[in-house]
Amino acid sequence: MSMSPQEIFEVASPAVSDPDATDQHVEAGQPITRGRLILRRFLRQKSGIAALVVLVLIFLLAYFGPYLTHWKFDDFDQTNILTGPDSNHFLGVDEVGRDVYARTLKGLQKSLVIGLVAALVTTSIAAVAGSIAGYFGGFIDITVVWIIDLLLVLPGFLILAILSPALAGKTWLWLVVLLAVFGWMVTGRVVRGMAMSLRERDYVHAAKFMGVPALTIIRRHLLPNMASLLIVDVTINVGGTILAETGLSFFGFGVQPPDVSMGTVLSDAQPLATTYPHVFMFGAGLLVLTVLCVSVIGDALRDAIDPSSGSSRL
Amino acid sequence: MTVTDKTLPDREPAGSPAGSPLLEVSDLTVSFGSEAGPVRAVRGVSYTVRPGETLAIVGESGSGKSVSSLAVMGLLPSSAVVTGSIRFKGTELLGLNDRRLSKLRGSGISMVFQDPLSALTPVYTIGDQIAEAVRIHQEVSKNQAHARAVELLDLVGIPNARLRADSFPHEFSGGMRQRAMIAMAIANDPDLIIADEPTTALDVTIQAQVLEVLKKAKEATNAATVLITHDLGVVAGFADRVMVMYSGKSVELAPVDEVFYTPRMPYTMGLLGSIPRMDVEEKEPLIPIEGTPPSLVSLPSGCPFQPRCPIAVDLCRTVEPPLADTDRPLHWAACHRSLEIAQRGWSAADVFVRPALPPADASLPPVREERDVVLALDNVHRAFPIRKGAVIRRTVGSVRAVDGVSFDIRQGETLGLVGESGCGKTTTIMEVMNLLEPQQGRIVVLGKDTGTLKNSDRRKMRADLSIVFQDPMASLDPRMPIGDILAEPMWVQKIPDERIKARTAELLQLVGLAPEHASRYPAEFSGGQRQRIGIARALALDPKVIVLDEPVSALDVSIQAGVINLLDELKVRMGLSYLFVAHDLSVVRHIADRVAVMYLGRIVEIGTTREIFAAPSHPYTQALLSAIPLPDPVKERSRKRILLSGDLPSPADVPSGCRFSSRCFVFAEQLDAEQQATCKGVDPGLYELGGDHRAACHFAKVREVV
């Protein structure tokens, strides 16, 4: 994240863009709802739409692509080792006789799922921890900030690498948990800052003076008002976690064989990248394309949600 | 009969001030693109400013008054489409490139903005910033420019100008920053000063100071001034001519007395009728203008004011009236019926309907002492520690925000708590609303001491005590539909769902909205409607006491009247008691039964509304009252202001003895040394002045100031 998200997301203010236009008469036609406005602004951005279309295609490919061939990702075709793409093996065969097409798509499935789930978990941790710290302040705040600072100075990759033998044979969901635990800190800090400013809003005061319990205030008033930040954060995190998972798996710390992910596919193919490029190119290309799409969508979403971020101005 | 806008300047009779116009704006239009379609912020405005005169542009938010002046300065964003003509000393400004415009800005035309904090660069000293303005337009050395800056700061009344020139903007108070802005504006002897709501962000006593400075600056440079404001009181005392704007059009243009005494456009009449008057004692309901200003995206056909105008005829609905001659010279109004208004001698009370107030509740005992006390504060203190140090934080002092406040409110009564920002009124109501034991003293709500409450009792008590906030934009959660917002207090008290639903509809009707509105979001409502929703939420549980934290100060005047009337009506109908916190004394005079004036964490004067306004006895109350401009040019010209020197002292460093002595005019001008020693040495308590009236002054003396 290059810009501080706090600057980008001025906490949900009802003013749309022009101060003169906000005082709309209720009876003067049905005003545009916020959701429709965001959708309209998003649809105006060609790059965002294109990326969304490509990403949907990638998902379709990952889940329906394997049905196009009779080869399974763990089949061995000893007769065609290292042959190039043809009608039998769409993308050729690797050095031990596995079908590159089937394997890559299987890996893509896993990476996409891990990326999505881990991004959701990451943002959820950040939202809960950050808003609780920001709303309550005091001792709770100090504790949460201390944990954030601690996690920020710990080398996450190294710890994941060290922990990975202990997780061998366990479900990949553990990997998701670990990726999330080491990935929520920056967003957590931002959420904490927003919670601290939202805490001083009159509507939060009003709720407090009605006697609404603190956790209910957080759930009902704080989190919905940060929704735009959180949504964009999830999107951007998807790209990040896919890369993190791929990196770990590449070095053998993440997804363990016989399970396949983009990381293991690429690490298996890496020695042949220069000699038999077909084994490597497809997977690498798909990975780059996926992450690129996700980040373009994230940008477009941010511009759509926050009109002051520049490019969406009329 | 009608004149087109273009020919206006030529048609002015010979009696007008001589000389060619300094600024000539003709047929100016400004529009912005928006999601909902083009926003036509200014639609064909023409006016002229002659050398040395002051033109006030008055209007509510969204009327285009600021946009039209930003267009003159060439400061509109590039997305704005501007047409028409703006001529300054005969030079066309529209279409001029930025470099040539920059030459003019500052030296020919200069501007004073509303928010002096964001208009000054935080990283340079005030002196440097003024010197920079001088050096851009004049060939002078750095030292000369600095000397000039000090001179200018001195002129606008900054004490110790030589020293203060080296201060940074954050070291200046709001009033001093605005003075510095004025100094910068007059640095190059401009011919025209545009002041965009120059005193809106300031307290009344500071506003009086700044307006005085602005007058002085005008005299020093003999510049013409365009004053943009929504405050008709400021206009009455400051302007030569007034232009009233409504939804992007100028609807009335006339000399100041004409506008105030013989308005010819119903909107102007409505504006004048809807402001509560500090100089009127009678408690009549205000005359609100129904409805809200139209959206600039979808204007109604015909006259834009027609949907809210009680005397609209068919012609008004089809043809938009141009700004035309009236029966009086130098007076133009955009109304088809302006001549009729003149012939029949209509005033606001004739054109608009003055709503009737329900009769007072007869079940309440008429004598105040016989009614129950619903809220009592007894010597309440609240101090915030000032801490220093990054690792080991130690307390180095304390801000005594509330320093011994006592008052009580009885059933069916409104106490107005007034004072300038920083006097501790917000802290006081926060102490009340928290329902916790104060640091010192006692708070008793409906006979129960908050210090002894159990958590469950406290939650129950919240049903009897509710609050309405100042800013209707901030007090409603933008992500919640109105129905849920109104239901929230009832959820907390575990009221069954069906009952909540019925009550929500009931509440919406009670505050003048439709039950169908429950599914809409706050952003779909105008400011006044949002404030009504805030009031409905406060009423949800049939409370006994409502704390009103400046409930109308964020609203436009025409909307404000409706909300004040609503509060008046609800109070009578539901037997409510209000703690009404405000800085606007005219509103307080209208709504309150008793008034408490706060200064630096203490109540300095308390009494019935009549006593406070007719016989103010504390010098601070007198200064406060005299600082408020009256919307009446003749009265305003004959009034003598008591100008307080300096700013509010910091509550972290309260002066010894009487805390007002550092700014007190009585102390400085009328007391001998021995008496001054008393003020400096002895902290005055609230002395009885007869009846309910008490003031914290050793030498209290009634002065008539309104």
Side-chain angles (χ1 to χ4, degrees):
Chain A
M1 287 186 195
S2 57
M3 282 179 269
S4 148
Q6 215 176 343
E7 285 160 23
I8 307 171
F9 303 92
E10 205 14 73
V11 183
S13 81
V16 184
S17 57
D18 183 66
D20 285 346
T22 48
D23 249 29
Q24 284 206 355
H25 198 322
V26 172
E27 269 73 41
Q30 185 71 30
I32 312 160
T33 65
R34 196 181 151 80
R36 284 242 303 282
L37 195 69
I38 292 172
L39 183 70
R40 200 195 283 185
R41 286 214 207 94
F42 183 81
L43 292 179
R44 201 179 293 145
Q45 303 183 60
K46 303 243 159 38
S47 57
I49 308 269
L52 189 65
V53 169
V54 174
L55 192 69
V56 168
L57 288 179
I58 289 175
F59 263 90
L60 290 177
L61 181 68
Y63 283 90
F64 297 104
Y67 297 109
L68 299 180
T69 175
H70 59 89
W71 296 105
K72 293 277 163 292
F73 74 98
D74 44 2
D75 288 347
F76 290 88
D77 182 4
Q78 305 286 1
T79 53
N80 282 319
I81 285 174
L82 286 175
T83 53
D86 56 30
S87 59
N88 183 20
H89 295 286
F90 295 151
L91 293 171
V93 182
D94 68 4
E95 80 278 17
V96 285
R98 294 172 298 194
D99 182 73
V100 174
Y101 176 78
R103 244 172 87 73
T104 309
L105 293 193
K106 181 72 188 173
L108 190 61
Q109 277 180 22
K110 182 110 293 168
S111 287
L112 286 175
V113 167
I114 291 180
L116 268 183
V117 178
L120 277 173
V121 177
T122 307
T123 305
S124 308
I125 297 177
V128 172
S131 57
I132 285 179
Y135 181 76
F136 287 104
F139 178 72
I140 297 175
D141 185 39
I142 293 171
T143 315
V144 172
V145 170
W146 188 80
I147 293 172
I148 287 178
D149 287 345
L150 183 76
L151 285 174
L152 276 174
V153 293
L154 287 179
F157 190 87
L158 214 64
I159 292 185
L160 284 175
I162 293 165
L163 284 177
S164 79
L167 301 178
K170 304 243 172 66
T171 152
W172 54 268
L173 285 171
W174 275 108
L175 187 66
V176 169
V177 171
L178 285 177
L179 280 173
V181 163
F182 286 97
W184 62 276
M185 293 84 71
V186 174
T187 317
R189 276 211 108 122
V190 176
V191 169
R192 169 178 166 265
M194 287 175 82
M196 282 163 84
S197 91
L198 285 172
R199 181 177 67 176
E200 298 305 322
R201 291 285 163 105
D202 280 347
Y203 56 81
V204 177
H205 280 156
K208 211 162 90 186
F209 292 150
M210 285 170 213
V212 181
L215 287 176
T216 317
I217 291 182
I218 291 178
R219 183 168 50 82
R220 201 183 285 155
H221 295 290
L222 256 49
L223 292 179
N225 281 292
M226 299 180 207
S228 53
L229 165 88
L230 298 177
I231 291 169
V232 175
D233 188 63
V234 169
T235 324
I236 290 169
N237 272 343
V238 170
T241 38
I242 288 179
L243 283 183
E245 181 276 325
T246 312
L248 279 173
S249 304
F250 185 86
F251 290 107
F253 302 127
V255 171
Q256 303 295 331
D259 227 351
V260 205
S261 89
M262 286 314 276
T264 55
V265 170
L266 290 181
S267 99
D268 286 352
Q270 179 255 333
L272 306 167
T274 46
T275 43
Y276 295 94
H278 67 267
V279 184
F280 184 77
M281 296 299 279
F282 181 57
L286 261 184
L287 180 70
V288 170
L289 195 62
T290 310
V291 176
L292 192 71
C293 284
V294 168
S295 75
V296 169
I297 292 171
D299 274 352
L301 206 55
R302 190 194 59 209
D303 286 355
I305 286 172
D306 179 34
S308 60
S309 64
S311 57
S312 74
R313 276 274 171 90
L314 281 166
Chain B
M1 207 56 228
T2 55
V3 281
T4 62
D5 294 345
K6 273 217 176 79
T7 59
L8 258 182
D10 313 328
R11 296 273 309 253
E12 284 178 19
S16 61
S20 61
L22 183 68
L23 179 74
E24 247 183 297
V25 175
S26 49
D27 205 23
L28 179 74
T29 68
V30 181
S31 67
F32 299 94
S34 89
E35 297 293 338
V39 177
R40 294 159 66 200
V42 179
R43 307 178 297 126
V45 165
S46 308
Y47 62 90
T48 58
V49 182
R50 277 179 228 88
E53 85 165 335
T54 302
L55 173 75
I57 304 182
V58 198
E60 299 177 274
S61 49
S63 62
K65 56 186 193 304
S66 290
V67 176
S68 58
S69 313
L70 286 175
V72 174
M73 288 295 280
L75 292 175
L76 286 173
S78 52
S79 61
V81 183
V82 188
T83 64
S85 146
I86 302 169
R87 298 171 79 82
F88 178 69
K89 287 184 174 172
T91 321
E92 176 63 53
L93 298 188
L94 275 188
L96 220 56
N97 64 28
D98 204 49
R99 246 201 25 225
R100 298 217 17 224
L101 214 51
S102 291
K103 266 223 172 86
L104 210 62
R105 286 188 212 131
S107 65
I109 313 174
S110 63
M111 188 143 184
V112 179
F113 293 94
Q114 173 174 0
D115 179 7
L117 183 56
S118 55
L120 291 166
T121 314
V123 292
Y124 293 104
T125 64
I126 300 274
D128 283 352
Q129 294 188 48
I130 300 174
E132 187 195 9
V134 174
R135 272 162 62 81
I136 286 172
H137 297 284
Q138 296 172 29
E139 292 283 328
V140 289
S141 75
K142 238 180 176 165
N143 287 337
Q144 279 172 313
H146 193 81
R148 173 89 178 122
V150 172
E151 211 174 282
L152 286 163
L153 283 174
D154 197 45
L155 179 74
V156 295
I158 302 271
N160 270 331
R162 188 165 302 280
L163 230 65
R164 297 300 274 168
D166 294 328
S167 312
F168 288 93
H170 71 264
E171 295 169 299
F172 270 37
S173 67
M176 278 161 76
R177 277 185 219 128
Q178 198 59 293
R179 285 159 190 258
M181 279 299 298
I182 294 172
M184 208 183 287
I186 60 172
N188 294 299
D189 214 349
D191 298 310
L192 177 67
I193 302 171
I194 298 179
D196 188 357
E197 306 253 10
T199 57
T200 305
L202 306 173
D203 279 313
V204 272
T205 61
I206 309 293
Q207 163 172 302
Q209 292 174 3
V210 168
L211 285 177
E212 210 56 38
V213 169
L214 209 55
K215 266 186 198 149
K216 213 161 121 197
K218 229 176 84 87
E219 277 159 22
T221 57
N222 199 24
T225 310
V226 175
L227 176 75
I228 300 157
T229 182
H230 67 275
D231 188 337
L232 288 163
V234 172
V235 173
F238 201 77
D240 301 321
R241 287 197 303 144
V242 181
M243 177 166 98
V244 183
M245 283 190 76
Y246 187 76
S247 63
K249 272 249 172 184
S250 123
V251 293
E252 187 147 12
L253 177 63
V256 62
D257 287 21
E258 294 271 318
V259 167
F260 281 89
Y261 301 126
T262 52
R264 290 290 177 256
M265 159 80 195
Y267 174 65
T268 316
M269 301 167 109
L271 271 188
L272 290 166
S274 62
I275 33 179
R277 296 280 294 255
M278 200 181 66
D279 50 341
V280 176
E281 197 188 302
E282 228 175 311
K283 274 201 181 164
E284 275 190 315
L286 301 169
I287 308 171
I289 308 179
E290 299 295 330
T292 48
S295 151
L296 294 172
V297 179
S298 52
L299 286 167
S301 64
C303 172
F305 185 62
Q306 153 269 117
R308 301 173 74 189
C309 182
I311 58 164
V313 290
D314 285 344
L315 179 65
C316 303
R317 290 182 195 100
T318 47
V319 183
E320 180 162 8
L323 198 63
D325 283 345
T326 60
D327 58 310
R328 304 182 75 92
L330 287 168
H331 190 149
W332 295 270
C335 179
H336 292 304
R337 302 184 70 181
S338 63
L339 287 177
E340 210 175 321
I341 291 171
Q343 279 161 11
R344 304 195 182 184
W346 277 340
S347 70
D350 306 313
V351 171
F352 292 89
V353 191
R354 193 188 287 275
L357 203 63
D361 192 348
S363 65
L364 279 176
V367 185
R368 179 169 189 266
E369 279 67 33
E370 288 167 19
R371 287 185 238 152
D372 298 334
V373 175
V374 288
L375 174 69
L377 269 69
D378 182 20
N379 197 25
V380 171
H381 286 252
R382 170 77 200 192
F384 299 96
I386 308 170
R387 294 209 174 88
K388 255 200 172 145
V391 186
I392 304 158
R393 294 171 66 81
R394 60 207 164 80
T395 307
V396 294
S398 67
V399 176
R400 284 144 71 187
V402 178
D403 200 17
V405 164
S406 312
F407 59 78
D408 58 356
I409 300 177
R410 288 174 193 260
Q411 205 187 342
E413 171 179 273
T414 303
L415 175 72
L417 188 63
V418 297
E420 297 175 278
S421 49
C423 74
K425 38 186 209 302
T426 304
T427 315
T428 307
I429 54 172
M430 287 299 149
E431 283 299 294
V432 173
M433 290 309 297
N434 277 330
L435 291 180
L436 299 172
E437 189 175 4
Q439 284 170 340
Q440 231 186 84
R442 253 156 44 99
I443 298 174
V444 181
V445 183
L446 298 168
K448 288 188 196 119
D449 190 327
T450 54
T452 60
L453 283 180
K454 285 199 293 279
N455 272 337
S456 56
D457 295 337
R458 191 167 287 129
R459 207 186 68 212
K460 274 199 204 98
M461 185 173 278
R462 296 212 180 274
D464 290 325
L465 177 69
S466 59
I467 184 165
V468 176
F469 289 98
Q470 173 178 15
D471 184 357
M473 310 286 171
S475 59
L476 306 177
D477 189 336
R479 300 302 170 98
M480 266 174 134
I482 301 308
D484 288 358
I485 288 176
L486 294 181
E488 196 164 23
M490 296 185 264
W491 286 335
V492 176
Q493 305 292 341
K494 310 222 160 53
I495 289 169
D497 274 354
E498 321 80 81
R499 179 79 199 92
I500 292 184
K501 231 177 170 174
R503 179 73 182 150
T504 308
E506 206 176 293
L507 285 168
L508 282 170
Q509 268 167 337
L510 195 63
V511 296
L513 296 169
E516 303 86 78
H517 288 161
S519 59
R520 299 199 179 168
Y521 286 85
E524 297 171 42
F525 294 87
S526 69
Q529 288 171 322
R530 269 183 253 192
Q531 198 57 300
R532 283 165 189 270
I533 295 164
I535 293 169
R537 174 173 63 185
L539 292 172
L541 296 163
D542 270 328
K544 305 274 187 303
V545 188
I546 300 186
V547 174
L548 301 156
D549 184 6
E550 311 233 6
V552 293
S553 65
L555 304 176
D556 278 318
V557 271
S558 73
I559 309 292
Q560 186 179 310
V563 174
I564 293 174
N565 283 346
L566 175 70
L567 288 171
D568 267 337
E569 187 195 325
L570 291 171
K571 180 185 145 193
V572 175
R573 268 174 53 183
M574 305 177 63
L576 299 168
S577 309
Y578 292 150
L579 171 56
F580 190 97
V581 176
H583 66 265
D584 185 343
L585 283 147
S586 349
V587 174
V588 170
R589 173 155 214 182
H590 182 84
I591 203 163
D593 303 310
R594 297 176 75 231
V595 177
V597 181
M598 260 186 107
Y599 184 77
L600 222 54
R602 281 272 173 88
I603 288 178
V604 294
E605 184 161 2
I606 185 164
T608 63
T609 307
R610 176 175 304 178
E611 286 161 349
I612 296 286
F613 282 85
S617 300
H618 194 282
Y620 178 64
T621 316
Q622 292 158 359
L624 204 57
L625 289 174
S626 90
I628 294 169
L630 296 173
D632 190 330
V634 170
K635 270 194 194 173
E636 192 59 15
R637 276 192 288 262
S638 63
R639 263 175 99 200
K640 256 185 78 77
R641 286 247 137 80
I642 303 170
L643 282 185
L644 290 182
S645 56
D647 297 306
L648 197 71
S650 154
D653 183 23
V654 176
S656 70
C658 172
R659 47 192 66 204
F660 185 59
S661 62
S662 62
R663 293 172 78 197
C664 183
F665 59 94
V666 177
F667 176 85
E669 292 160 14
Q670 296 165 19
L671 299 185
D672 57 39
E674 196 181 320
Q675 289 169 317
Q676 286 189 343
T678 316
C679 290
K680 277 278 166 213
V682 185
D683 193 354
L686 276 170
Y687 300 125
E688 301 252 353
L689 296 174
D692 193 21
H693 192 180
R694 278 167 295 161
C697 178
H698 295 300
F699 306 101
K701 196 176 107 195
V702 172
R703 253 175 223 87
E704 200 148 332
V705 286
V706 175

